[in-house]
Amino acid sequence: MQFPTWTFLAFFLVAYPVHVLVRNTRLGKYWLLAISLVFYGWWRPDDGDWSPVHLYVILWCTAVDYVAALVMERVRWKRTLLTLAVLNHVGVLVYFKY
């Protein structure tokens, strides 16, 4: 989904008011995650249609960060986990860039 399109305008006109209503509730973070995944899943350079192929990469990075943050709360070797999480992102970047 690209910004200067009617699709983005329709998406924004639905997503933003709902976000304003739920941002201070328990559903706020889940709503933000859901609309972010829809936004990134919609991107396709050829026809702009729904293509969730790249969502696997985003979900992988999100899951690694979430698990690393949960484990960091309980262990003393936080710097090692942070380094591994950053290396995960660098590895994904290197794989898809080169």
Side-chain angles (χ1 to χ4, degrees), residues 78-89:
K78 294 171 178 37
R79 186 169 290 180
T80 303
L81 278 173
L82 179 63
T83 303
L84 290 173
V86 169
L87 284 175
N88 173 60
H89 287 289

Side-chain angles (χ1 to χ4, degrees), residues 15-89:
Y16 186 70
V18 174
H19 173 69
V20 169
L21 291 174
V22 299
R23 68 180 166 196
N24 294 327
T25 66
R26 189 172 190 202
L27 295 175
K29 60 185 172 185
Y30 301 112
W31 174 252
L32 192 58
L33 176 65
I35 63 174
S36 297
L37 291 174
V38 169
F39 177 78
Y40 285 113
W42 208 279
W43 181 81
R44 256 180 86 183
D46 51 354
D47 61 1
D49 201 8
W50 173 254
S51 175
V53 174
H54 297 101
L55 288 182
Y56 296 121
V57 178
I58 295 172
L59 288 171
W60 169 257
C61 290
T62 303
V64 167
D65 289 342
Y66 183 73
V67 170
L70 288 178
V71 175
M72 275 189 231
E73 291 178 347
R74 296 184 175 92
V75 297
R76 296 183 61 177
W77 34 280
K78 294 171 178 37
R79 186 169 290 180
T80 303
L81 278 173
L82 179 63
T83 303
L84 290 173
V86 169
L87 284 175
N88 173 60
H89 287 289

